[in-house]
Amino acid sequence: MKTLILKINKNKPEKEKIDKAAKVLKNGGTVAFPTETVYGLGANALDKTSIEKIFKAKGRPQDNPLIVHIADTNKLYDLVDDIPKKAKVLMDKFWPGPLTIIFNRNENVPDEVTAGLQTVAIRYPDNLIAKALIKSANLPIAAPSANTSGKPSPTDSKHVLEDLDGKVDIIIDGGLTGVGVESTVLDISGDIPTILRPGGITKEDLLTVFDEVKYDPALKNKDFKPKSPGQKYRHYSPKGEVKIVKGDIGKVIKRINSLTKEYESKNIKVGIMATLETLDKYECENVVSVGSRKDFKTIAANLFKTLRYFDEIGVDIILAEAIDELGIGSAVMNRLTKASGGNIIIT
Ligand code: AMP
Ligand code: MG
């Protein structure tokens, strides 16, 4: 398959280009497009054959359900019969935005989208290209992140091209995505809203509308089965092996330096994911700062791009400083932990 790359102005999407991509979606094709979180790989959520193309292009496990994207809250009624009160509150406050809400699905939603679950994950993205595309297609669009399954998610169209060239119909180049980590997946079926995947809308944000919000215990404890099937996989992983180093920052720096020495003496190429405050403290050639340790938003925006950069320069081991799990820092640590397969060195 020849993939068409379509450059679209992110501030003023050109109508004819949007309509062209929307037509491909209407005809059952696949289009990668930017959202405010990461790039998504879209297809018609109501059509099983279109959905199968997403799973094939990504090599995604069949039991990992997709998020359906809409660009008009009224379109929810095509997918769900009942909109709970909690959902209405969330939609008013956080849509469009990086919050995915789990609803009970209706019979229009194919099993292929939900991996057989009776629920469907829905969000309304806040990106002009994404909104224009979904509106023009006039369809709900299923769109997981536009990467090969298991790899770091794409925050730039060039990452999408690396993974999906020749596997999808269109890749829209709409610049860099802003947030840099995926949406928050929230389950509101119980008394206390539960974060199944931390993301762009933080627990602190959610506490502005609810008295209590909790994390799915499976996020931290392997003895629990995650309610979000995607959380059970190793994910977001670059080719290099990720090891997180956690603890008092002085000790972290010492440990990373001693590990680097040890690896380099064995000819193992090391990359260090550092922060602004620690950048000049390391004795290693490949040190990248993802931002200030206090600026979690910048770290989130730089995370996946940095993991992909270490692949480009061919490092064997990535030593990453842990950051505080506050605000979007929780999502950053969730992705890093998955990327490392749980390999955390405590100092
Ligand atoms: P991605 O599309 O790569 O951003 O991943 C979507 C995430 O949403 C995965 O972790 C899925 O397991 C999760 N998800 C999608 N649908 C549901 C659902 N109905 N219930 C719980 N989690 C879901
Ligand atoms: Mg993904």
Side-chain angles (χ1 to χ4, degrees), residues 277-296:
E277 293 83 353
T278 61
L279 186 62
D280 62 357
K281 304 273 190 296
Y282 293 110
E283 295 136 33
C284 174
E285 236 173 79
N286 316 303
V287 190
V288 177
S289 161
V290 283
S292 164
R293 296 188 64 74
K294 293 176 215 113
D295 180 3
F296 304 120

Side-chain angles (χ1 to χ4, degrees), residues 13 37 59 154 164 175 215 296 312 337:
T37 58
L164 300 180
Y215 287 107
F296 304 120
E312 263 168 50
T337 304

Side-chain angles (χ1 to χ4, degrees), residues 58 60 64-67 102 117 119-121 143-145 182 185 196-197 227-231 235:
K58 283 180 56 82
R60 184 174 174 105
N64 192 4
L66 306 179
I67 295 172
I102 309 290
L117 297 175
T119 53
V120 59
S145 50
E182 297 83 345
V185 177
L196 305 186
R197 173 179 75 177
K227 280 185 92 179
S228 188
Q231 288 293 327
H235 211 142

Side-chain angles (χ1 to χ4, degrees), residues 46-154:
L46 302 178
D47 178 50
K48 158 178 179 298
T49 318
S50 308
I51 296 304
E52 280 162 359
K53 291 180 186 168
I54 292 180
F55 281 90
K56 187 154 176 260
K58 283 180 56 82
R60 184 174 174 105
Q62 294 291 336
D63 64 347
N64 192 4
L66 306 179
I67 295 172
V68 179
H69 294 66
I70 56 174
D72 172 353
T73 43
N74 287 318
K75 297 283 180 192
L76 258 185
Y77 290 100
D78 296 344
L79 307 161
V80 305
D81 292 332
D82 175 47
I83 303 179
K85 213 170 136 206
K86 281 197 191 86
K88 287 190 179 134
V89 172
L90 290 165
M91 286 153 53
D92 271 354
K93 173 95 187 187
F94 299 110
W95 278 9
L99 178 70
T100 296
I101 305 170
I102 309 290
F103 293 90
N104 287 323
R105 65 161 162 144
N106 72 17
E107 70 285 358
N108 293 337
V109 183
D111 276 338
E112 285 70 17
V113 168
T114 70
L117 297 175
Q118 288 313 306
T119 53
V120 59
I122 302 178
R123 91 169 184 107
Y124 182 165
D126 191 13
N127 171 288
L128 287 179
I129 294 175
K131 288 193 277 196
L133 179 67
I134 299 165
K135 279 193 178 130
S136 172
N138 195 24
L139 286 167
I141 301 296
S145 50
N147 52 301
T148 300
S149 257
K151 285 190 59 173
S153 302

